[in-house]
Amino acid sequence: MNWRELAFYDAVADHGTARSLMGDEVLAGIARELVTEVCRQLKPDWIARESVRARLRSTIKRLLARNNYPPDQQKEAIDLVLRQMEHFANEWSEKGVPED
């Protein structure tokens, strides 16, 4: 995993029993998909628009559900993932996505 994927891995792995129930490989796959999604939708100020945030929240929720993420941990994970996306999106939209 690269450092971008690791940041999103931490966002989904550090909630309750997610790591023990799902395992590192599944959580790493989720992190990779999240990084891909951020890079795909990257535009200046995109995260500030409520319609985009709602669509991202829905995308994240579906991704977690598809991977059998513990439902009781989803809200916290979704909120943390959105904060991670906000942080990286602002930086990457201004400076471009850095190489590893």
Side-chain angles (χ1 to χ4, degrees), residues 21-85:
L21 289 175
M22 301 183 71
D24 290 330
E25 282 304 311
V26 172
L27 294 170
I30 292 171
R32 286 183 193 97
E33 288 185 57
L34 290 169
V35 170
T36 299
E37 188 66 25
V38 171
C39 291
R40 187 178 67 78
Q41 295 190 27
L42 195 61
K43 296 178 185 122
D45 298 330
W46 65 270
I47 198 74
R49 296 194 329 247
E50 189 55 39
S51 62
V52 175
R53 290 179 62 81
R55 187 174 55 226
L56 280 170
R57 184 175 293 281
S58 177
T59 298
I60 296 164
K61 188 173 183 175
R62 282 192 312 272
L63 173 64
L64 294 177
R66 188 172 64 235
N67 287 283
N68 297 318
Y69 196 84
D72 61 324
Q73 304 298 320
Q74 280 188 4
K75 182 179 178 346
E76 293 86 5
I78 290 168
D79 292 342
L80 186 51
V81 166
L82 280 173
R83 286 196 304 270
Q84 290 285 49
M85 285 184 171

